[in-house]
Amino acid sequence: MNLQAMVTDNISELLVKILEFTQHRQKILTLNINRLHRRGYVPMDLAVDEFSDLLNTALEEHMLNQRLVLCDSENIKFGVGGELEVTPVIDEDAFSLLEECQEEYIEHQIKRLLENSLNQRVAAELLKERESRTAVPIE
């Protein structure tokens, strides 16, 4: 699905970024479970706090100046055409759990997947609601 086609305003664009980020994160977290038995595997995640900080900054700018400014960070880049580029980082907490107890490691990954799924659903519903409000009725 072309999420960028759904962008109609600044807030919609932020919601699309959340959807894209959560899609990328779901893939990473799923790989963490699928690859847990590989010798030397190092679990990865996306820089969630970094992404959150970038969105908070963008929202503050939007509220002050009615414009959206998405700034890049070390692990998150916003492309000119609206693309989102994320670089996975080593998940130290998950790595420790993987070495100590695989069962707790799997539970940890599942909790993160559930949290990510919830964030994705909320963003999708908010975007759907925004789009239905801005849709022009056909006469």
Side-chain angles (χ1 to χ4, degrees), residues 21 45-52 75-76 87-89:
F21 184 84
D45 199 351
L46 297 184
V48 175
D49 291 338
E50 194 174 307
F51 182 71
S52 178
N75 300 299
I76 299 163
T87 304
V89 294

Side-chain angles (χ1 to χ4, degrees), residues 12 16 30 33 36 52 57 62 66 69 118 123 125 133 138:
S12 293
V16 166
T30 302
I33 294 172
L36 77 101
S52 178
T57 301
H62 171 74
Q66 299 303 307
V69 178
L118 179 61
E125 286 300 317
R133 286 184 184 179
I138 300 174

